[in-house]
Amino acid sequence: MLDIKDFSIFENHSSFDFKGLLLKILSYWKWFLVSLIIAFTIAYQVNIRKEKVYGMQTLISIKEESNPFFTSNTSLVFNWGGISDQVNGITTILQSRSHNELVVDKLQYYIDYLTMGKYNLIDSYGEVPFYVDIDKSRGQLANTLIKIKFVSENVYEIHIPFESNSVSLINYSENSYSNTAVQPIEFVKRYKVGEQISLPFLNWKLQINDNPGSYKGNEYFVRFNDFDGTVSRYRGINVGADDKGGSILTLSMQGTNKARLVEYLNSTVKMLIKIQLDAKNQFATNTIKFIDSTLVAMESQLKQTGNELKSFRKDKNIYEIEGGGTKVADKMLDFDVEKDQVTRKITYYNSLKAYLNNSVDYSRLPAPSVAGIEDPNIVANISKLIALSTQRSEMAYAVKSDKIFKDFDNQMQAVKSVLLENIASAKSSLLYDLSLVNAKLGEAESTAKRLPEEQQELLKIKRKYDLNDNIYTTFLQKRNEAEIVKASNLSDIHFIDPAKDIGGGLVGPKTSVNYILALFLGVLIPLFFILAIFFINNSIQNTEDVTKLSQIPIIGIIGVNKEGVNLAVFEKPKSALSEAFRAIRSSLQFLYKKQQVTGSKTLMITSSISGEGKTFCSINIATVFALSEKKTVIVGLDLRKPRLADEFNLTNKTGVVNYLIKQNSLEEITNSTKVPNLDVILSGPIPPNPSELILSDAMRELIDELKQKYDYIILDTPPVGLVSDALELSQYSDVTLYIVRQNYTKKDMITLLNTRVKRGELNNASIVLNGYENKAKYGSTYGYGYGNYSNGYLDEEKKPNSVKAFLNKLTKK
């Protein structure tokens, strides 16, 4: 039972009894015990159902590797912007959606391989004896468990429980969803290992791994998950810089399957190395593509001019024809080659200018070396532009900040502006060189016109052939240079410690945290309810509540009646409950003496409402007076709702009402009881006008007649909070006892009592606290009296101490 006194910390006291408060809180130990048992049971069940969480990591370094075959002539250089920029870029790439899409797609981590554990499904990737080779271009059953049972080593059985008429399919090649109709039954069918399955909802080949072990009769589960959802989970990879060096990165992940973590960490680094190396080879790759397309055209022209030269030499003395024009031909070839070089540079600049003005993706620009351009400003700016364009395209999948993109765009615009100025300056110089070459070539052509006609024709054909052959040879040389550079490029990313399962790595679940949480909740939840009850409970709980609300003295405290009999004093005269009523008797005698009441004494017992123990107290107070050899009578004056007859096993046929209406005499309405010296007068039949009868002169005559016959007259009256009968009877009483019941009487009723006393409606009023229980403070069943010091004096039934008995048994063993 809640005792508001337990929360005395909230009251305004001059001193605080912490020990008392602690003992009072401990009185509700059953609440806390039950709460703690429930909380720890839940924590235990949660802990045993949680899968173990492991942490794996890999260590990589970033070191800018220079190409040992790079020379100033190749001009095939690619720079990511230094180590610092590479670290930031790598961190972004590793957590980007596009990068993780590539890794997840390569490893097919959207497929779950599961086994049934004791409490739930367990991710058994790397432990199952098989894998499924799916057809990505066709739909697979999405987000549904597919049970696989191996009937034999080469035959397996598929179980799919369909619950509706349609199922969702996922197409991994297009990353799209669709639906297909099925029958709402369990699909069961057998297939051979390696057999192609082509169903509307499933398309795969199941293959057995190397060294699968024993798997006949075992059951496994396969599930196809959402591709984007799977990628989102793996984007949570943690990338941290090592304190010892800014160019060293630690990649770590946590999960329930170590094999998955190890393979993913190593694969994501390998994918990063490939991406970085491809970007580093971008110049070489673009150059090779450009040269390959040019060589195709040049090869056709070279073949055509070769055929012309062959046709011309047929049936002619070629040595006589060549003899006179060899010097002129060599001179013209030199001028043609020089002119081709200048023209090629101008053409490259024109194409580059048009590309810069009309495109926004500069990652496919060919190297300037394909046109023989070695201007360091142009080479460096093109390299920087390609690097910025590549970085921007990579960050587009991971970064959503417009400011970062604007910064990249501003940098590329600045580089592009400088590059356009470089192009304009270089072109003006080349146009001047071209005019000089054309002048020299014109002089050589004039000299050639003086030669014989056949020599001129041969010179013309050979000149074209030699030029094409020279250009073809030059492009082949440039292509070889690009291939060498591409083959010899090294990635800037290197493994220091690849991820590896060497045992351990367990990081969770943290079961101790759950048990600590259970401890806190197990204590706080009942405490919260106790506080809640305190704030919403408006009933009297202890003597402090009464003394704070009223100046009326408390004459006694009655404990809880656990015997089940209302004649508690008579049935258990040595009980603590009996002693409580004897204490009230002593206090009443003091009050009578103080008021100088002699002869017969009257006592009116009332309360606020019905159910507060008014009749119970009347009977037992009367009993203690009777047992002290005083002639005592209880008068049942609750004419509206009489209960006194039931307590003495009497019939309420005649009583006070019969006397007041002059129907019976006092002797006729008086009933003797089994308690010596105690008589009882019942209320009698319920009258239509109880208030009028109480106000009649017959009531005074009844009291006067009782005073002549009895030492103590106990008036059991109706509650004053409901009717006014008790107020009318107050004039006949020497002392009034107002019964207040713990955890039942409302505090507002005490305020009403104060008003009654202040108006003089109740005489010599005192309060009795009934049904009081405070186990924490006193250690007894109702807590007002002697506690453990009552042994041998109070006749209380001792309850066996189960804990003590258990300890005794252990000692005996």
Side-chain angles (χ1 to χ4, degrees), residues 468-497:
N468 288 335
D469 182 61
N470 183 277
I471 295 172
Y472 190 82
T473 304
T474 302
F475 271 98
L476 281 178
Q477 180 184 355
K478 294 292 184 183
R479 191 183 192 284
N480 289 335
E481 289 179 2
E483 288 285 4
I484 292 171
V485 170
K486 184 177 179 180
S488 59
N489 263 337
L490 300 175
S491 174
D492 294 343
I493 302 168
H494 307 276
F495 272 113
I496 297 179
D497 277 331

Side-chain angles (χ1 to χ4, degrees), residues 285-542:
T285 303
N286 294 348
T287 301
I288 291 170
K289 286 182 180 179
F290 179 81
I291 292 175
D292 285 344
S293 62
T294 305
L295 286 177
V296 172
M298 293 301 302
E299 188 176 359
S300 174
Q301 294 179 17
L302 187 61
K303 186 177 180 179
Q304 183 180 353
T305 54
N307 290 334
E308 290 181 8
L309 183 60
K310 186 177 180 180
S311 299
F312 180 81
R313 287 176 174 178
K314 190 177 182 181
D315 300 329
K316 289 184 177 67
N317 188 350
I318 195 65
Y319 295 105
E320 291 182 3
I321 299 174
E322 286 180 346
T326 301
K327 293 183 179 180
V328 177
D330 292 340
K331 195 174 185 180
M332 290 183 68
L333 178 61
D334 292 338
F335 291 145
D336 283 334
V337 171
E338 187 178 355
K339 180 180 179 180
D340 178 72
Q341 291 176 350
V342 175
T343 305
R344 200 173 347 131
K345 291 179 182 179
I346 293 174
T347 303
Y348 178 86
Y349 284 137
N350 290 334
S351 300
L352 180 61
K353 181 179 179 181
Y355 192 91
L356 292 175
N357 290 327
N358 300 325
S359 178
V360 291
D361 182 12
Y362 310 113
S363 60
R364 298 184 180 182
L365 286 173
S369 61
V370 297
I373 298 173
E374 298 175 3
D375 187 335
N377 292 327
I378 293 177
V379 172
N381 285 328
I382 289 178
S383 174
K384 189 172 182 180
L385 195 60
I386 291 176
L388 289 171
S389 182
T390 304
Q391 280 184 277
R392 190 188 190 283
S393 63
E394 290 289 346
M395 294 180 67
Y397 297 102
V399 180
K400 303 300 180 185
S401 174
D402 293 334
K403 182 179 181 303
I404 294 178
F405 289 127
K406 286 181 180 178
D407 291 342
F408 269 90
D409 292 339
N410 292 335
Q411 290 182 52
M412 286 191 290
Q413 185 62 39
V415 174
K416 187 172 75 171
S417 300
V418 173
L419 193 55
L420 289 172
E421 291 180 4
N422 292 336
I423 292 171
S425 176
K427 272 185 64 178
S428 62
S429 177
L430 288 173
L431 289 172
Y432 176 75
D433 292 342
L434 182 61
S435 64
L436 294 178
V437 173
N438 284 333
K440 294 177 183 178
L441 193 58
E443 292 178 3
E445 287 177 347
S446 299
T447 304
K449 287 180 180 179
R450 300 191 191 102
L451 296 174
E453 185 175 345
E454 284 187 347
Q455 286 185 345
Q456 290 185 37
E457 184 67 21
L458 176 61
L459 183 61
K460 181 179 179 182
I461 297 172
K462 193 175 180 182
R463 177 186 174 190
K464 187 190 300 184
Y465 177 82
D466 290 341
L467 179 60
N468 288 335
D469 182 61
N470 183 277
I471 295 172
Y472 190 82
T473 304
T474 302
F475 271 98
L476 281 178
Q477 180 184 355
K478 294 292 184 183
R479 191 183 192 284
N480 289 335
E481 289 179 2
E483 288 285 4
I484 292 171
V485 170
K486 184 177 179 180
S488 59
N489 263 337
L490 300 175
S491 174
D492 294 343
I493 302 168
H494 307 276
F495 272 113
I496 297 179
D497 277 331
K500 185 178 180 181
D501 180 13
I502 56 175
L506 184 66
V507 296
K510 299 188 180 298
T511 55
S512 57
V513 174
N514 289 336
Y515 286 127
I516 293 173
L517 184 62
L519 176 63
F520 277 104
L521 291 178
V523 173
L524 291 177
I525 289 176
L527 188 60
F528 170 79
F529 279 107
I530 292 172
L531 290 172
I533 293 173
F534 163 69
F535 284 113
I536 65 175
N537 193 353
N538 192 36
S539 58
I540 298 296
Q541 298 297 318
N542 47 42

Side-chain angles (χ1 to χ4, degrees), residues 596-609:
Q596 299 180 355
V597 178
T598 57
S600 180
K601 303 171 181 65
T602 59
L603 174 65
M604 185 179 78
I605 299 179
T606 186
S607 65
S608 302
I609 55 175

Side-chain angles (χ1 to χ4, degrees), residues 651-678:
T651 305
N652 195 25
K653 290 183 178 179
T654 58
V656 175
V657 173
N658 302 91
Y659 180 90
L660 296 178
I661 62 175
K662 308 298 183 183
Q663 192 177 43
N664 293 93
S665 64
L666 179 61
E667 288 72 15
E668 292 174 341
I669 64 172
T670 302
N671 301 281
S672 60
T673 66
K674 60 182 179 179
V675 181
N677 301 314
L678 178 62

Side-chain angles (χ1 to χ4, degrees), residues 271-284:
M271 184 65 69
L272 181 66
I273 291 173
K274 180 181 180 301
I275 292 173
Q276 195 265 347
L277 194 56
D278 289 344
K280 203 169 186 179
N281 288 331
Q282 190 69 50
F283 250 6

